[in-house]
Amino acid sequence: MSVATGNYIFSTRTTSVTIATGIAYTVGRLTLRAGLPVFVQNTSLLAGLGAGMMPSGGGSGRNVGGGGMGGGMMGGGSGTGMAHYRAAAGDLILQVGWRLVNQTGTGVTLSAAAKIPVTDTTAYGTGQWDLGGTLSLTHRSTGKVFLGLDISYWHLGDLPQLNFRDPILGTATVSRLFPTAWAGSLFLTGATAALRGYQAPVSIGAGVTHVGNRSVMWGFLANIGLTETAPQFSIGASWRVGL
């Protein structure tokens, strides 16, 4: 569960609550994942894409594609603003991953993913398929310090009046285990620009995770956006249990 807020490229502040529920099954080097997000949002200016939440200007994309940055005022006639918070299910995301390297202290995983347009609303989706691939590297530099790097590429489906560029995303992470069964991490996330004429999203963040029990993990994180297409601030909580 995460809460993010920001003006992004618009004159109206958008606050989003995202609840993402998923399941994963691992056998040998193969991992299969499925996830379904639910959005609670006070405007429809952001869409949930495979590459994450993206400023879209509404179901047609005309407020971005047409160069209008003032659209989406709540109560306006453009169809992009909502007087109250509204909940909607997002699109189903499926992922298959293969662990290429599984040595002591080092792991390399290659995965492919698809966002399947199953949502019954165009407010938070494009109605199109998104296809992506991710290369993940982890390395244990010392006994308690871990380094991580994730690089992804997404081919995004377009809106009627807005063509997205296919972005490349990257996240670099440094984590450290503590004797108290907690782990702390710092991370930097960035991407190439998916919107023509606007800055690429960049954010920094930190998190803590409780790792005392291998079958149950939970934690908290916070992000600060450094560019206009990223949320100004976001916080989140996660919980994972082994079945």
Side-chain angles (χ1 to χ4, degrees):
M1 178 178 178
S2 63
V3 180
T5 184
N7 287 70
Y8 301 87
I9 59 176
F10 306 105
S11 59
T12 299
R13 175 174 293 274
T14 296
T15 300
S16 308
V17 179
T18 304
I19 303 171
T21 303
I23 189 168
Y25 176 73
T26 299
V27 52
R29 293 174 177 263
L30 180 69
T31 299
L32 305 175
R33 291 185 175 90
L36 183 69
V38 174
F39 303 113
V40 181
Q41 200 163 279
N42 67 323
T43 79
S44 57
L45 296 173
L46 303 183
L49 280 70
M53 298 298 288
M54 190 80 64
S56 65
S60 69
R62 62 183 177 273
N63 291 286
V64 177
M69 294 179 60
M73 295 300 294
M74 296 177 64
S78 66
T80 59
M82 296 180 292
H84 303 286
Y85 283 85
R86 185 172 124 192
D91 292 326
L92 178 66
I93 297 180
L94 301 179
Q95 185 185 60
V96 55
W98 183 262
R99 198 165 183 85
L100 301 175
V101 177
N102 192 23
Q103 300 177 351
T104 301
T106 301
V108 180
T109 301
L110 182 65
S111 60
K115 182 188 73 70
I116 304 174
V118 298
T119 182
D120 59 357
T121 176
T122 60
Y124 302 132
T126 61
Q128 304 294 325
W129 285 69
D130 295 345
L131 302 175
T134 301
L135 180 66
S136 300
L137 301 92
T138 58
H139 178 69
R140 189 170 184 169
S141 61
T142 66
K144 296 183 178 181
V145 177
F146 296 81
L147 306 176
L149 178 65
D150 297 299
I151 301 175
S152 303
Y153 169 83
W154 277 92
H155 174 67
L156 303 178
D158 296 322
L159 289 167
Q161 299 183 49
L162 178 60
N163 294 327
F164 291 106
R165 289 179 170 178
D166 295 340
I168 298 174
L169 303 89
T171 299
T173 307
V174 179
S175 304
R176 189 184 191 283
L177 290 172
F178 297 103
T180 57
W182 286 89
S185 61
L186 300 173
F187 50 89
L188 172 67
T189 299
T192 60
L195 299 174
R196 298 179 185 274
Y198 297 103
Q199 293 178 313
V202 179
S203 62
I204 58 174
V208 292
T209 305
H210 189 271
V211 293
N213 189 328
R214 289 182 177 271
S215 64
V216 179
M217 297 177 62
W218 51 276
F220 307 93
L221 59 85
N223 278 352
I224 296 176
L226 303 180
T227 60
E228 63 181 356
T229 51
Q232 290 174 315
F233 180 72
S234 64
I235 57 174
S238 62
W239 178 74
R240 183 174 66 184
V241 60
L243 302 179

